[in-house]
Amino acid sequence: MEDYLEIIYELVQQKGYATSVDITECLNVSAPSVTKMMRRLDTTGYLEYEKYRGIRLTQQGTNVAQNIRRKHELLTEFFTFIGVREDVANSDAEGIEHHLHSETLEKLEEFLNANRKKQK
C-alpha cells in the first residue's frame, strides 16, 4: 500500500497528476492489480479514485506518502554519508523505508543533523 501511495505522490509532484497506467509502469504490476489497490486505498480514505477519471490523494494519503518520502530521503542521505553509491543507497532505502520504526527515524535524523553541522 505504501509503495502505491509513494509513487502516486511522486507522479503528482512530477507531472501534476497520476494515472493507473503510470502506476502500472512505475511499479511493474498488472493493471488489474493497480485497479484493485486503487479501490482499496479509496475505501480506506487514502485517495479518491474514479475509474477512467483519475487519482487524487486525500490529506491522509498525502501525509502517509510524505512520511514515506521523508524516510527514503533520510535513509538515502545516511547511506551516501557513509560512502554507499547513490544508486545502491536508493535501492536499499526503498527496501528498508517501510520497516523503519519512528524511534529509529528520529535518531537517524538527529545523527544526520549533527553531522551536517560538522561538515560545514
Side-chain angles (χ1 to χ4, degrees):
M1 230 165 59
E2 289 182 346
D3 285 338
Y4 282 84
L5 291 172
E6 183 180 17
I7 202 67
I8 293 165
Y9 180 79
E10 289 176 9
L11 286 165
V12 170
Q13 295 301 305
Q14 292 170 7
K15 298 174 29 170
Y17 62 92
T19 67
S20 294
V21 173
D22 293 331
I23 298 164
T24 298
E25 291 172 1
C26 290
L27 294 177
N28 197 27
V29 294
S30 70
S33 294
V34 170
T35 300
K36 182 178 177 182
M37 183 58 76
M38 293 304 98
R39 288 182 183 140
R40 184 172 165 199
L41 291 168
D42 182 52
T43 301
T44 56
Y46 291 112
L47 59 79
E48 295 173 1
Y49 172 71
E50 292 181 49
K51 196 171 184 178
Y52 308 117
R53 293 204 139 219
I55 301 161
R56 286 196 342 251
L57 290 174
T58 61
Q59 188 59 53
Q60 181 182 4
T62 299
N63 292 344
V64 170
Q66 287 173 334
N67 187 38
I68 296 163
R69 191 80 219 130
R70 181 172 159 254
K71 288 178 187 179
H72 186 99
E73 289 167 355
L74 283 171
L75 285 166
T76 301
E77 182 180 352
F78 174 73
F79 293 146
T80 56
F81 179 83
I82 62 171
V84 176
R85 285 190 341 254
E86 191 163 349
D87 61 326
V88 174
N90 269 313
S91 177
D92 286 347
E94 187 64 41
I96 295 171
E97 67 193 20
H98 305 294
H99 306 285
L100 198 62
H101 191 278
S102 60
E103 181 181 345
T104 306
L105 180 66
E106 183 180 311
K107 294 300 180 185
L108 182 60
E109 191 166 26
E110 287 174 13
F111 173 83
L112 288 170
N113 286 336
N115 283 285
R116 283 184 201 120
K117 292 174 187 171
K118 289 178 186 177
Q119 282 185 329
K120 290 182 181 182

